[in-house]
Amino acid sequence: MGREAQIGRTAILESALAIADDDGLDAVTMHAVAKRLQVTPMALYRHVANKAALLDGLVEMLLTEFPLPARQLPWDERLTALAAGIRATAHRHPGVFPLLLSRPTVTQAAVHVRDSIHQALREAGVPETDLGRIERLLSTAILGFAVSEATGRFRLHDQTVLDEDFAELQRWMRRLLPTPPHPPDSGATLA
Amino acid sequence: MGREAQIGRTAILESALAIADDDGLDAVTMHAVAKRLQVTPMALYRHVANKAALLDGLVEMLLTEFPLPARQLPWDERLTALAAGIRATAHRHPGVFPLLLSRPTVTQAAVHVRDSIHQALREAGVPETDLGRIERLLSTAILGFAVSEATGRFRLHDQTVLDEDFAELQRWMRRLLPTPPHPPDSGATLA
DNA sequence: ACCTGAACACCGTTCAAGT
DNA sequence: ACCTGAACACCGTTCAAGT
């Protein structure tokens, strides 16, 4: 019975991501992915349930790319690094990235990202009851900006302008959180 | 030669919007729109250039729905009302709304919305050089949240939770702007 | 001027058949 | 177990033809 598999779920997702990066999300069709793998479209259905499942897999790949910052870093640097990493992923994969704004946090990788933000907010002094809300609003602001860049909503503006926009957004994030991340390095903190 | 037109651009857009509201954006096909108008798909091409132009038209319809608040209102109430109106449009048209996050501000209706925000920010004391940046960040945060609701990213949360999320987002907006909108009504302001 | 009919190259997906 | 071939009901869009 056995027959050595020519393709697998990972190869399918990698092909689909490459197509999306090169030619946009609309170019990701079952036919196109199959062609890139030198296989018929129907061969894909042994490895992914359908096209929706394939897109879910692509989103999970992006989430896995987000660089979770080391726990040793101060919480504000962790938030800043995570936001920058998310934005970098949007720049690398503008075709797939907008899908992130329509997926609830249910997969493993998505939960890890959220937990990382929760932990940083905890250390920032956010009360436990507010963690969910603050995380939703912060991640929505970051995702909204990154999606806008990915889709070309800001296409009339120079990259330098958008970089400064993002820096300002980062400053807003900091201003909205309760406590300063580390006290100004004066000896007063020892008193 | 003349032959009385059976359909027009407006009827096409209204049909397309109704289909999107009922069955989602993917259900908006040239065939489906034509069928609803009791016409062949090819008849549409006399009134819209192609499907992309039809979707552009839908976005313009949503922008026209945004209720621009009266200029007599204090600027903070204007921003609050505009944000609430944008969110209400997302709730009414969840299928089409996410397209707003991929369109630059070029059409007439979009420019009117942006100008309305610019004027409110001016009265808030935002320096002229910062108007563009602040407007982009504020509108991105509002759109990001509304799109998240429209797509179902927050589908695991109750409506009451999301209402409170949005209220908190509104408070953030206020906190980030330079001056208080109207002095606290104590006699001290007369001194 | 506006709409139709026929046609084309695509889609996603099924089913039975091959190895 | 995995892949293929044939098939189906759709897509967006063209072109020439009808009124």
Side-chain angles (χ1 to χ4, degrees), chain B residues 79-114:
Chain B
L79 285 183
T80 305
L82 185 55
I86 289 172
R87 184 179 181 225
T89 299
H91 290 179
R92 265 196 302 279
H93 307 293
V96 176
F97 195 87
L99 294 181
L100 281 167
L101 213 52
S102 55
R103 301 295 198 277
T105 309
V106 287
T107 66
Q108 198 188 39
V111 169
H112 284 153
V113 173
R114 187 182 58 188

Side-chain angles (χ1 to χ4, degrees), chain A residues 124-136:
Chain A
V126 172
E128 202 69 20
T129 53
D130 294 351
L131 283 183
R133 169 153 301 129
I134 307 276
E135 182 275 328
R136 282 192 294 281

Side-chain angles (χ1 to χ4, degrees), chain B residues 168-183:
Chain B
E168 175 74 1
L169 177 56
Q170 297 262 36
R171 285 189 289 269
W172 284 10
M173 272 179 44
R174 262 301 287 110
R175 265 214 273 162
L176 290 164
L177 293 176
T179 63
H182 23 54

Side-chain angles (χ1 to χ4, degrees), chain B residues 131-186:
Chain B
L131 282 185
R133 169 153 301 129
I134 308 277
E135 182 275 327
R136 282 193 295 279
L137 291 177
L138 289 184
S139 63
T140 298
I142 298 293
L143 283 178
F145 185 86
V147 167
S148 294
E149 281 189 297
T151 58
R153 181 162 84 102
F154 295 146
R155 72 178 71 104
L156 303 179
H157 302 281
D158 284 340
Q159 184 66 49
T160 56
V161 171
L162 299 179
D163 287 346
E164 186 48 46
D165 280 11
F166 190 73
E168 175 74 1
L169 177 56
Q170 297 262 36
R171 285 189 289 269
W172 284 10
M173 272 179 44
R174 262 301 287 110
R175 265 214 273 162
L176 290 164
L177 293 176
T179 63
H182 23 54
D185 53 357
S186 75

